Amino acid sequence: MRGRRSGGDLMNKLDAQRQKEIQQAEELLFAGPQALGFAKGLFQGHFVSDWVMPYPRIPAAQQTELDDTLTELRKFLDEHLDPAEIDRQADIPREVIDGLGRIGVLGMTAPKEYGGRGFSQMANCKVLEEIGRRCASTSVFVNAHHSIGIRALLLFGTHEQKQKWLPKLVTGEQLGAFALTEKEAGSDAANVQMQARLSEDGSHFILNGEKRYITNAAIAHELTVMARTPVPGSDKTAITAFVVTPDMPGFEILEARMPKMGIRGTATARFALRDVKVPKENILGPMGKGLKVALTVLDFGRTTFGACCTGAAKTCLELAIQHANTRKQFNKTLGEFELVKKKIARIAADAYAMEAMTTVTASFIDRGLEDYMLETAMLKVFTTERLWECINDVFQIYGGSAYFVDLPLERMLRDARINQIGEGANEVLTSFVALVGMRGPGMEFKEIYDTMMKPSRDRISKAWAAGKNRLGATIRVPDVLVQSEQLRGHARQLGRLIRHFNFAVNRALITYREPILDMQLVQERIANAAMDLFASTCVLSRQDSEIQFARRNGDAAAPDHAAADLFFRQSFRRIRGFLAGLTDNDDKAVIAAAKSCLTSGTTETTS
Ligand SMILES: Cc1cc2nc3c(=O)[nH]c(=O)nc-3n(C[C@H](O)[C@H](O)[C@H](O)COP(=O)(O)OP(=O)(O)OC[C@H]3O[C@@H](n4cnc5c(N)ncnc54)[C@H](O)[C@@H]3O)c2cc1C
């Protein structure tokens, strides 16, 4: 009896916890009208063409400004940036920071009225690609300062707040940081424990708590800090974003530069706030909406992450080509061996796709489209995973020489490892992509199911509409229209794969129903297929635009698209594999083996 009651209590507790999680996610992600973006469209069997076609281009006037900036930046980086020395010294010299500030890199997207360059996110991505090509420490530093550090101020700051802080931040005279992570709030970002209590006279908040792993914290002059504030009229709390400056009494750096494996030039800190008085005027965005502020900021960070990874992948390709063409073994250059060719071809295909995906995603931000959280998450996971493969491949091509510190490869390997963890661990984002994507069709099925259980006139008409929609999407192959004749075959295949994907999502929802919320192995296949569909779409859009551009300019020869063609073949094959894995897999055995290890707590296995 007692056992049964406590089992029931546990179930109730789990239910309550699940309800709380769902409510939190609803509040965070689904407030406001829901436009059908590209990724959400995929999950419904649609190809939302106007988000991705034609391939976005930077307007001519800004392109000229960007080209000039890139020329200046390249010259500066050639002369002053020494990535190996930055890694050895675990520091980015002040002259590098000053130089980046002079060129405008540290305020690239900030409005001109505050001293910024007013660049679009697409143009900014080109700048970050250039830095990411050379030095990951420097690109992460710029990201921490500009993509996320001052982003909340740029997006949610009042005119007064911007006027007060931005002019010095955009020149690099002062630096910014973004402080979300704590011991208890890593992947579980909503679990922020830092407290902010209102002072008795109501003029300021008093902040207490600790943050860890914060890039730039010890060198920053302005930190966007997430802390928990009381919700008026209830005993609940919610997260709010504050501007904190290190001159505030009670701000204490606990460890300025935590020693670490890669991106060693960045300063990653732990800090504490002890009864720090922060004026109410320092709140960024609405009270209690700090999590939404943080996730919106991270949309920008994840986009420039894609740009930095693209730059690094291009470096991998350059290094691979160089070595494969010069190093000889068995009387042949390495490039003559098929297993080396395979690696080079894959790096080229992935680098092309990473650039296309970054450009398309950045254009969503520039066009002010609604809700691109899924696409930025996809970009982050896809580019960081592909880059890891690229580095591994070029490392292998260099053989033993890659292991030594006179070449950049061991540093690149160490530097790249953080990408799959920072700004949202890839597992968390993968699950997020699947769950948010499946929400649309899931709600339609729920409508149908609820009606079957409890029919009513109103419900029947809604369920009929939902049923028609689901069925229509499953039967119809969405139109994927391209201008170039030679791409029609790829476009048709992509359309068919979207229908196949939609069918697989529907089947998974019907088969597993609510437990799918916890089935991460299923979620991973669905998310991976969606990511490859998005990547292939971006490649198609880019290739179409390049072919048309060449035609307009009277180029007789079509541009060389061997890498893009390979990408389609590999991506389409992966998508088919992910979807096949939904019904043919080892999931039960995987779960059983893991459970056995986790419950026994031992490394010994019996035969
Ligand atoms: C060098 C560096 C710089 C950083 N800079 C900043 C910064 O400037 N600002 C800032 O706020 N933070 C920063 N971070 C923190 C970073 O964002 C976190 O490390 C990251 O969010 C993961 O949190 P965690 O380290 O606590 O890992 P945990 O949350 O403990 O997760 C560990 C692992 O568990 C797995 N996991 C966790 N949750 C799930 C799940 N739901 N499903 C499946 N698997 C799961 C994942 O594999 C994950 O990698 C930085 C971190 C590093 C290392």
Side-chain angles (χ1 to χ4, degrees), residues 140 144-145 148-149 177-189 211-217 224 226 258 260 262-263 266-269 298 417-418 420-429 431 520 523:
V140 170
H145 165 79
I148 59 175
F178 172 80
L180 174 63
T181 304
E182 299 174 7
K183 188 161 183 275
E184 303 303 331
S187 298
D188 188 1
K211 296 279 178 189
R212 70 175 187 181
Y213 305 164
I214 308 301
T215 309
N216 289 355
T224 302
M226 303 296 160
M258 302 170 75
K260 58 190 189 293
I263 55 164
T266 60
T268 318
L298 290 173
R417 193 58 188 85
I418 182 58
Q420 289 142 302
I421 297 168
E423 292 199 19
N426 284 4
E427 290 82 356
V428 178
L429 293 178
S431 178
Q520 291 193 328
Q523 292 165 16

Side-chain angles (χ1 to χ4, degrees), residues 343-581:
K343 293 181 178 61
I344 291 176
R346 194 169 52 197
I347 299 173
D350 286 347
Y352 186 90
M354 287 157 80
E355 185 175 357
M357 212 170 166
T358 302
T359 303
V360 170
T361 308
S363 80
F364 298 159
I365 292 179
D366 293 336
R367 289 162 65 191
L369 296 178
E370 230 184 280
D371 189 8
Y372 32 72
M373 221 175 244
L374 275 190
E375 288 82 357
T376 57
M378 286 177 166
L379 175 70
K380 194 270 176 176
V381 175
F382 187 87
T383 53
T384 57
E385 294 292 342
R386 302 323 299 171
L387 176 61
W388 185 244
E389 292 290 320
C390 293
I391 294 183
N392 196 37
D393 278 350
V394 65
F395 202 97
Q396 190 69 16
I397 292 172
Y398 271 74
S401 64
Y403 221 72
F404 296 90
V405 298
D406 56 329
L407 287 182
L409 289 158
E410 60 83 32
R411 170 170 50 80
M412 287 172 66
L413 193 86
R414 285 187 284 109
D415 286 348
R417 193 58 188 85
I418 182 58
N419 296 339
Q420 289 142 302
I421 297 168
E423 292 199 19
N426 284 4
E427 290 82 356
V428 178
L429 293 178
T430 298
S431 178
F432 168 83
V433 165
L435 290 179
V436 177
M438 285 192 291
R439 187 178 183 268
M443 292 305 282
E444 288 186 344
F445 280 124
K446 189 170 179 306
E447 197 73 62
I448 299 167
Y449 177 79
D450 288 350
T451 309
M452 277 160 43
M453 294 293 119
K454 262 191 182 173
S456 76
R457 183 185 286 261
D458 181 43
R459 269 201 165 146
I460 287 173
S461 75
K462 272 197 197 156
W464 175 251
K468 240 174 44 181
N469 200 16
R470 283 297 78 236
L471 190 68
T474 309
I475 294 169
R476 209 181 312 118
V477 175
D479 284 334
V480 179
L481 299 177
V482 285
Q483 296 188 49
S484 315
E485 183 61 39
Q486 60 267 54
L487 293 180
R488 302 253 151 89
H490 288 321
R492 268 195 302 276
Q493 276 198 65
L494 183 60
R496 281 198 294 272
L497 282 172
I498 293 172
R499 183 182 64 168
H500 186 174
F501 173 69
N502 178 246
F503 181 78
V505 166
N506 289 346
R507 191 173 49 195
L509 283 165
I510 293 169
T511 309
Y512 303 117
R513 302 190 16 153
E514 202 180 312
I516 205 171
L517 295 174
D518 293 318
M519 297 174 76
Q520 291 193 328
L521 299 177
V522 173
Q523 292 165 16
E524 184 183 42
R525 294 187 189 96
I526 288 174
N528 282 343
M531 286 182 222
D532 256 311
L533 287 171
F534 181 39
S536 285
T537 300
C538 297
V539 169
L540 189 71
S541 178
R542 178 177 174 187
Q543 200 182 354
D544 195 25
S545 141
E546 286 171 355
I547 293 171
Q548 294 305 313
F549 184 78
R551 187 163 299 162
R552 276 197 303 277
N553 288 328
D555 294 352
D560 177 4
H561 274 139
D565 287 338
L566 174 66
F567 186 82
F568 287 126
R569 298 182 72 87
Q570 296 193 328
S571 179
F572 290 169
R573 195 180 301 283
R574 280 196 297 266
I575 294 167
R576 286 194 295 270
F578 294 135
L579 299 183

Side-chain angles (χ1 to χ4, degrees), residues 15 88 149 176 185 200 232 234 244 332 401 408 451 469 536 542 592:
D15 261 6
R88 265 193 303 273
E200 274 175 19
S234 85
V244 170
K332 287 179 177 179
S401 64
T451 309
N469 200 16
S536 285
R542 178 177 174 187

Side-chain angles (χ1 to χ4, degrees), residues 178-185 189 191-195 207-214 217 223-228 239-240 244 251-255 258 268-273:
F178 172 80
L180 174 63
T181 304
E182 299 174 7
K183 188 161 183 275
E184 303 303 331
N191 197 33
V192 163
Q193 299 296 311
M194 180 168 274
Q195 299 295 322
L207 270 62
N208 276 291
E210 290 185 10
K211 296 279 178 189
R212 70 175 187 181
Y213 305 164
I214 308 301
L223 297 93
T224 302
V225 173
M226 303 296 160
R228 212 160 256 295
I239 297 171
T240 298
V244 170
F251 180 99
E252 189 189 340
I253 293 289
L254 301 173
E255 196 174 358
M258 302 170 75
T268 318
R270 287 193 300 123
F271 70 88
L273 301 185

Side-chain angles (χ1 to χ4, degrees), residues 31-53:
Q34 285 295 295
L36 192 65
F38 183 78
K40 283 187 188 149
L42 286 178
F43 282 86
Q44 312 241 11
H46 300 305
F47 183 77
V48 183
S49 173
D50 63 334
W51 272 49
V52 288
M53 306 264 185

